[in-house]
Amino acid sequence: VNPEKVKDLILELMKRFGLAKLTAIQIINIMPQTADELRILLGSEKREFSDQDIEGILDLLRGSKQS
């Protein structure tokens, strides 16, 4: 991911999905490909994430790799 885009991506994950900054950074560093991989990273968050949230995060990550 483009280094300039990383900051925007962190902020987007925090704002749209309520993620902690550290979790957002871990997700971007690892770039999970599947819902199961992402759910492992989200395990430290204090709330449950719907399937729609999971797909939204994965879509956001996929879009960032293409730009």
Side-chain angles (χ1 to χ4, degrees), residues 2-16:
N2 178 338
E4 297 155 5
K5 183 133 177 126
V6 168
K7 286 183 184 178
D8 293 337
L9 200 50
I10 291 168
L11 292 175
E12 182 76 15
L13 287 168
M14 291 170 61
K15 180 179 173 186
R16 232 170 105 189

Side-chain angles (χ1 to χ4, degrees), residues 1-62:
V1 178
N2 178 338
E4 297 155 5
K5 183 133 177 126
V6 168
K7 286 183 184 178
D8 293 337
L9 200 50
I10 291 168
L11 292 175
E12 182 76 15
L13 287 168
M14 291 170 61
K15 180 179 173 186
R16 232 170 105 189
F17 302 101
L19 296 178
K21 186 174 184 177
L22 182 59
T23 303
I25 291 168
Q26 287 178 328
I27 288 171
I28 294 166
N29 282 339
I30 295 172
M31 289 300 248
Q33 301 295 306
T34 66
D36 288 336
E37 290 173 349
L38 180 56
R39 284 187 194 281
I40 291 168
L41 297 173
L42 293 173
S44 63
E45 291 292 308
K46 294 182 182 359
R47 72 176 188 92
E48 292 290 318
F49 291 86
S50 69
D51 290 343
Q52 187 176 9
D53 288 337
I54 298 292
E55 282 306 313
I57 294 170
L58 290 173
D59 287 344
L60 188 63
L61 295 175
R62 288 181 196 117

